[in-house]
Amino acid sequence: MPNIADLQSNCRHPERTAYITDAAYRTLLLHGRRSWPEEACGLLIRRGASDGCPAAADAAIALRNAHPAPGRAFAFDPAEWVETFCRIQADGHTVVGWYHTHPRTAPVPSLQDAAGAAGLSGLTCWILSLRRPESPELRAYRVTAGRFDPLMVAQISV
């Protein structure tokens, strides 16, 4: 089981790097592959407080894609989002970001992604491209005032 102290001790250059544990990455990848050709979406969390390394995820929580055209876009179901967010906080964990897949395109934020990021400043957005299923590509971005700043992605084995 990943340990948050291990993540913090491995955290270098937190302003430019997003960290994800092997377990969280495997969960995200499995969700994306099972949802293909539709977009998958969910949350990335830190078990415990986010001090020291704000863009470090050690768990992924899959959410249902409630968008009316899930093959082209994603949307969180509002009720599921609120229930999941409240449960995460009640468990003493921290939401560090959200993820979604691009089944056929590069892992670059779209205009629709930017429009949906309103109010999510300070979190990270992770996009998994499955356009080449044999070599999925994960990118992370820090969201600030609707702007997506690219981060290096470091996968951590703990």
Side-chain angles (χ1 to χ4, degrees):
M1 174 80 64
N3 178 313
I4 203 67
D6 292 335
L7 281 176
Q8 288 176 328
S9 69
N10 284 302
C11 187
R12 295 184 180 49
H13 309 294
E15 69 284 355
R16 298 187 316 257
T17 307
Y19 297 85
I20 188 166
T21 62
D22 290 336
Y25 176 75
R26 283 191 307 271
T27 299
L28 188 161
L29 181 60
L30 181 63
H31 183 208
R33 286 181 168 159
R34 284 184 176 163
S35 298
W36 194 93
E38 296 181 347
E39 290 195 18
C41 58
L43 299 174
L44 289 164
I45 67 167
R46 286 269 309 271
R47 293 181 182 103
S50 65
D51 297 340
C53 194
D58 62 352
I61 299 175
L63 297 176
R64 182 176 68 83
N65 184 348
H67 196 278
R72 295 190 324 259
F74 80 98
F76 296 133
D77 175 86
E80 183 184 29
W81 161 258
V82 169
E83 187 276 326
T84 303
F85 186 80
C86 290
R87 182 172 28 90
I88 290 165
Q89 287 193 316
D91 290 344
H93 305 316
T94 304
V95 174
V96 297
W98 77 97
Y99 71 85
H100 69 284
T101 59
H102 283 184
R104 294 173 194 82
T105 61
V108 176
S110 66
L111 293 175
Q112 192 164 351
D113 293 338
L120 296 172
S121 283
L123 293 178
T124 53
C125 170
W126 300 67
I127 304 173
L128 177 68
S129 172
L130 296 171
R131 64 184 169 163
R132 291 187 305 270
E134 70 286 353
S135 58
E137 186 180 356
L138 180 65
R139 289 193 193 162
Y141 302 85
R142 184 174 318 284
V143 179
T144 307
R147 191 180 75 238
F148 289 77
D149 296 317
L151 299 169
M152 294 185 309
V153 173
Q155 197 166 335
I156 301 173
S157 297
V158 292

